[in-house]
Amino acid sequence: MVKTALSIIPFGGVRENGKNMYAVTVNDEIYILDAGLKYPETDLLGVDVVVPDFNYLVDHADQVVGVFLTHGHADAIGALPYLLEALRVPVFGTEFTLALAKQQVSRRPSLSDFDDYNVITPDSIVEFGKTKVSFFSTTHSIPESVGIVLETEYGQIVYTGDFKFDNTAKGPYKTDYSRLTRIGQRGVLALLADVNGVETPGESVSESAIDEFVFQTFRENSNRRIIVATVASNVQRIQEVINSAYQTGRKISISGNDLEQVVKTALDSKRLNLPTSYNKLFTNIKNLKSVEPNKLVILETGKMGEPIRDLQRMAKGDDRYVSFNENDLIFVATTPSISSESIMAKTRDLIFRRGANVVSIKDNLRSSGHASQNDLQFMLNFIKPDYFFPVSGEYRVFSVADFLAQEVGIKKNHIFLSMKGDQYKFDPENKKFTLEDSFEVDDTMIDGSGNTDVGNIVLRDRKMLSEDGVVIAAATIDRKKKKVVAAPRITTRGFIFVKTNRELIHESAKVMVDQIELYLDNTDDFDWNDLKSGVKDAMSKFFYEQTKRRPVVMPVVMEVNQNRRPNSKKKTENNQNQKKQVAEEQSKTRNNQNRRPRQRVKSTPRSIRPKKETIEKINAKLAEKQQNIEEHV
């Protein structure tokens, strides 16, 4: 087996939004950079989240060194629980990032005993033989975000994680520019850089400007109740809401378990600052009626920290505690992904139908936690990589990043617009990366709280059910006579209106009968699956010819006289046994009856002895019972 000197494999985060996960192999040791999820597209019916396919990593489990996390958003840590269930490996991250990661992992009962967490700081260096892993502070919408540097004998591999440059950033949000300069001076072989925000020209506004916008929105709507929709892990936005609520004399109520946990974690780790005591600023969601509406802010998010679907549920009036009215302001303090824009548009429509108003940061400011075009070029100039891998974005964004990189001097053939499963191997002799030994990496679609991949077949059936409905066709056959003995019963849901299509239903029943009898007449090797498959195909073809629609057809075939030849010998033996049992019971009963009078002669007065006619009645009833049993047998 040839030893892999150095390779880079993306498992997600390329040509898509979210699901960041990249593997760097150094001398057959695999370093996993982030383990994120993404929220499903609108056509992934019933799917809650999408995570990377870990099969390759499971097959090479003995080579995996650990997972290195850049920040605490779901697109970087959301898939960690599923990865750890398949692969128990050490996890490295900053204190706050690991605190959020532990929340995710603790939801999986199978990981209740996992505790291999390793806290790092931007100044940490973790050594694995000749390879060193170090970090640098970056600016993002969550504190303690870091980039990762793999110092190998072949050169440095740098992964930025999600980043932007903001000169007003402070404390745990501030970029370490001097560290970036030193990394670039030492020479960088390859840079994996976040390019998610480079499609739109112009600069993102600073967080200080967003803070001011949030405050002005609160102040201008002093007569309204305000519902703020935000991503649960966007701690910076939560801090801005807290500041503005306090300054305008409002109380905050939190809607959503994920948001409650993030706020608690951020408060415990002092990553959120309260201007007053918790009890004076926050109120329970159950106590909304005790606070005047114009003195209230409801901070909401939904499952997995995504706010838009939960906002839609409130707009429909399905929430237990919150229902919109004409005196509400819905403040969307997040930038929905492109895949969520249609959901957001429908949600806005529902909100306006309720009479409420909507204000969105996106509509008023260019706000993003990702690098702008200038930010990306600044990063390229700091790092000065030989090779550039755009990550964390769709293909059209990669195309823009390709152009921007060439503008600052990166050679065209040193820029790789990669796909999932692409394996870029470095040749130490020729000093260059080449694409080879790639493999297929599918998405793993998680339905509910389970860890089961829904799969494309299930999704296809769900899509068909949602578009064309279902037909259930039930019939009863007699295999011995090779015929259908009970007319098929056809039931439909979401396909056609039966009362106005009785002729179609009648004809489909004939199709089912003809197909079944054709199969029974022409097969000697009966197989239930073949029979049902033939019925399904015939009826599907019929329905498409008649309606140009393809409902899901579910045939149900039952059987009578299923090899039930009576065993006369066994039946005779059973009859004899039953008669013998009846005779024994009758004899036992008579003996008991004969004994009772004799026992009572010695101890019972004559006046209460059973009369002779009573005994005769009992014997007559027993004889009648025996005759009935014999007739039954």
Side-chain angles (χ1 to χ4, degrees):
M1 181 178 178
V2 178
K3 187 175 183 179
T4 301
L6 178 66
S7 73
I8 297 173
I9 306 172
F11 285 84
V14 289
R15 307 192 186 200
E16 63 182 349
N17 283 314
K19 199 155 65 67
N20 296 312
M21 184 173 174
Y22 316 95
V24 179
T25 303
V26 184
N27 296 327
D28 285 342
E29 291 183 338
I30 300 175
Y31 299 80
I32 302 174
L33 310 180
D34 280 339
L37 58 76
K38 73 174 182 179
Y39 299 110
E41 309 286 342
T42 54
D43 60 338
L44 297 182
L45 303 174
V47 175
D48 289 327
V49 295
V50 183
V51 301
D53 176 1
F54 308 128
N55 286 333
Y56 175 88
L57 296 173
V58 171
D59 292 341
H60 297 79
D62 59 328
Q63 297 174 235
V64 177
V65 171
V67 183
F68 300 84
L69 305 175
T70 59
H71 65 286
H73 283 162
D75 63 353
I77 67 170
L80 184 63
Y82 306 101
L83 174 62
L84 292 178
E85 283 186 325
L87 199 67
R88 295 288 184 106
V89 294
V91 180
F92 299 82
T94 60
E95 183 179 5
F96 186 62
T97 298
L98 289 183
L100 296 178
K102 288 176 183 178
Q103 284 185 9
Q104 301 280 346
V105 172
S106 65
R107 295 171 183 167
R108 311 295 296 180
S110 61
L111 297 172
S112 59
D113 61 338
F114 182 82
D115 195 33
D116 197 353
Y117 299 101
N118 302 270
V119 177
I120 58 93
T121 70
D123 298 323
S124 297
I125 298 177
V126 186
E127 297 186 8
F128 299 92
K130 294 182 180 181
T131 303
K132 297 180 181 179
V133 184
S134 58
F135 310 88
F136 57 94
S137 298
T138 58
T139 300
H140 194 39
S141 58
I142 190 170
E144 297 187 7
S145 296
V146 296
I148 300 171
V149 182
L150 292 177
E151 301 176 41
T152 77
E153 58 185 291
Y154 312 104
Q156 295 185 106
I157 309 295
V158 177
Y159 170 48
T160 65
D162 291 354
F163 83 98
K164 65 177 181 177
F165 291 126
D166 183 353
N167 293 326
T168 68
K170 299 176 182 178
Y173 295 94
K174 192 172 183 178
T175 299
D176 188 344
Y177 293 98
S178 62
R179 171 82 169 115
L180 284 175
T181 302
R182 293 195 301 272
I183 293 170
Q185 289 173 345
R186 296 186 60 186
V188 173
L189 177 61
L191 171 67
L192 286 70
D194 165 29
V195 299
N196 200 19
V198 303
E199 182 181 20
T200 306
E203 292 298 310
S204 298
V205 299
S206 66
E207 282 300 327
S208 60
I210 296 176
D211 194 6
E212 179 63 24
F213 178 75
V214 174
F215 172 70
Q216 290 296 336
T217 302
F218 278 36
R219 189 174 66 175
E220 292 170 3
N221 293 272
S222 58
N223 61 333
R224 293 174 177 267
R225 183 176 67 166
I226 300 177
I227 293 95
V228 179
T230 186
V231 175
S233 55
N234 192 337
V235 178
Q236 198 165 34
R237 198 71 72 243
I238 296 171
Q239 181 68 68
E240 292 159 359
V241 170
I242 288 174
N243 295 342
S244 296
Y246 175 73
Q247 292 167 8
T248 56
R250 292 175 179 265
K251 282 204 165 190
I252 301 172
S253 181
I254 297 175
S255 174
N257 293 331
D258 285 3
L259 187 55
E260 284 185 357
Q261 291 181 9
V262 170
V263 170
K264 183 180 183 304
T265 301
L267 289 172
D268 291 344
S269 60
K270 303 189 185 306
R271 293 298 178 261
L272 275 177
N273 300 314
L274 298 185
T276 185
S277 67
Y278 183 90
N279 292 334
K280 288 183 180 180
L281 188 61
F282 288 87
T283 185
N284 193 289
I285 191 72
K286 298 178 182 179
N287 301 328
L288 295 184
K289 293 182 179 180
S290 64
V291 182
E292 290 294 326
N294 63 340
K295 296 294 181 183
L296 183 65
V297 175
I298 299 174
L299 194 58
E300 78 85 17
T301 196
K303 189 175 182 182
M304 303 298 292
E306 199 282 323
I308 304 304
R309 295 181 186 275
D310 221 50
L311 192 66
Q312 186 179 105
R313 188 170 57 83
M314 290 180 175
K316 290 178 179 178
D318 295 335
D319 190 82
R320 183 178 179 183
Y321 300 108
V322 182
S323 182
F324 299 156
N325 59 62
E326 64 277 0
N327 201 41
D328 287 339
L329 174 71
I330 316 304
F331 186 22
V332 182
T334 185
T335 303
S337 65
I338 292 175
S339 62
S340 300
E341 285 185 349
S342 60
I343 301 173
M344 186 65 229
K346 182 178 180 180
T347 302
R348 289 177 72 111
D349 186 71
L350 290 169
I351 292 170
F352 282 116
R353 286 170 183 261
R354 290 272 177 174
N357 195 17
V358 180
V359 171
S360 172
I361 288 181
K362 181 183 178 182
D363 295 339
N364 293 272
L365 301 171
R366 190 186 185 284
S367 168
S368 176
H370 302 276
S372 66
Q373 293 184 0
N374 283 341
D375 289 342
L376 176 61
Q377 290 184 325
F378 276 134
M379 181 62 78
L380 289 168
N381 282 323
F382 271 119
I383 298 300
K384 300 180 179 67
D386 291 337
Y387 290 88
F388 173 45
F389 293 80
V391 296
S392 187
E394 297 182 337
Y395 185 79
R396 67 182 185 282
V397 181
F398 282 9
S399 297
V400 177
D402 184 3
F403 173 77
L404 295 171
Q406 291 183 63
E407 277 196 328
V408 297
I410 307 295
K411 297 177 182 178
K412 174 65 176 176
N413 61 351
H414 282 212
I415 302 170
F416 296 113
L417 309 185
S418 56
M419 298 175 62
K420 292 180 295 184
D422 282 352
Q423 186 166 195
Y424 294 89
K425 290 187 175 182
F426 181 70
D427 183 352
E429 294 183 3
N430 297 322
K431 303 292 184 182
K432 67 178 184 178
F433 280 99
T434 55
L435 178 61
E436 56 181 284
D437 297 334
S438 298
F439 52 90
E440 185 176 355
V441 174
D442 295 322
D443 287 338
T444 301
M445 290 160 284
I446 306 298
D447 186 355
S449 59
N451 188 23
T452 303
D453 183 11
V454 173
N456 292 324
I457 294 176
V458 175
L459 288 176
R460 182 200 64 193
D461 288 345
R462 288 180 179 179
K463 192 169 187 287
M464 291 176 64
L465 284 169
S466 70
E467 293 177 352
D468 295 330
V470 61
V471 175
I472 301 173
T476 304
I477 66 171
D478 188 327
R479 257 199 281 174
K480 183 178 179 182
K481 296 180 180 179
K482 295 187 176 183
K483 63 183 294 186
V484 177
V485 296
R489 182 175 180 179
I490 311 297
T491 305
T492 75
R493 290 292 183 272
F495 173 47
I496 56 174
F497 185 51
V498 175
K499 288 185 178 180
T500 59
N501 291 275
R502 294 190 183 280
E503 185 63 26
L504 179 66
I505 296 297
H506 182 67
E507 291 298 321
S508 69
K510 288 183 179 179
V511 171
M512 185 179 191
V513 171
D514 291 345
Q515 179 62 34
I516 292 174
E517 293 185 347
L518 178 66
Y519 178 81
L520 294 175
D521 289 338
N522 293 279
T523 184
D524 295 325
D525 187 13
F526 184 88
D527 184 277
W528 284 104
N529 290 331
D530 290 345
L531 172 62
K532 292 179 181 179
S533 179
V535 171
K536 181 179 178 180
D537 292 343
M539 295 188 72
S540 295
K541 181 179 179 182
F542 170 77
F543 285 130
Y544 183 74
E545 290 173 349
Q546 299 297 318
T547 66
K548 302 304 178 186
R549 295 171 64 187
R550 299 184 186 276
V552 175
V553 178
M554 298 178 62
V556 179
V557 183
M558 299 166 285
E559 183 180 7
V560 296
N561 297 330
Q562 189 175 7
N563 299 323
R564 294 178 180 174
R565 294 182 178 179
N567 189 325
S568 58
K569 182 178 180 180
K570 186 175 182 180
K571 183 175 180 181
T572 302
E573 291 176 352
N574 289 339
N575 290 342
Q576 291 175 349
N577 290 336
Q578 288 178 351
K579 289 180 179 180
K580 184 177 180 181
Q581 184 178 0
V582 170
E584 289 176 352
E585 290 178 355
Q586 182 181 14
S587 175
K588 184 177 180 180
T589 303
R590 287 176 176 172
N591 289 337
N592 289 339
Q593 289 173 347
N594 292 332
R595 279 198 303 270
R596 269 190 215 113
R598 288 196 296 270
Q599 291 172 350
R600 288 176 179 174
V601 169
K602 299 179 181 179
S603 58
T604 307
R606 184 179 296 272
S607 59
I608 61 173
R609 291 178 186 172
K611 296 182 179 179
K612 182 178 180 181
E613 56 268 23
T614 302
I615 296 173
E616 291 175 351
K617 287 181 181 180
I618 294 172
N619 289 335
K621 288 182 179 180
L622 288 172
E624 183 181 356
K625 183 177 180 181
Q626 180 181 3
Q627 184 178 357
N628 290 337
I629 293 173
E630 291 175 349
E631 289 176 355
H632 177 72
V633 172

